[in-house]
Amino acid sequence: MNLKVVIEKGEDGYYVASVPALKGCWSQGKTCDEGLKNVREAVELYLEPDDIAPVTNGPESRKEADLIWN
């Protein structure tokens, strides 16, 4: 699979890498190479199958997950 990656140098000096074809898929690094390495991992995680099981305790089925950002 080939995906276009856009890399820009941010105001803080870090390189920000984004994948326009995958909405919200981006990462950053101190160097351009680190940004590319990190966005490759972000793409792999983005495309990983969703393994969150549906919750059926209520009247409607839904998916729940806790997201923790540092």
Side-chain angles (χ1 to χ4, degrees):
M1 173 185 289
N2 291 325
L3 294 168
K4 179 180 179 179
V5 176
V6 177
I7 302 172
E8 299 176 292
K9 191 165 187 174
E11 292 178 13
D12 59 358
Y14 280 73
Y15 289 86
V16 179
S18 63
V19 183
L22 303 175
K23 185 177 179 179
C25 186
W26 65 275
S27 192
Q28 66 180 16
K30 290 182 181 179
T31 65
C32 187
D33 287 340
E34 185 179 26
L36 282 172
K37 178 181 153 262
N38 292 344
V39 83
R40 178 180 293 274
E41 182 180 355
V43 167
E44 289 171 1
L45 292 170
Y46 188 99
L47 298 176
E48 192 172 88
D50 186 9
D51 61 355
I52 301 171
V55 177
T56 57
N57 296 348
E60 298 177 19
S61 294
R62 60 189 171 133
K63 292 186 177 186
E64 293 182 357
D66 293 323
L67 299 177
I68 302 170
W69 296 93
N70 294 330

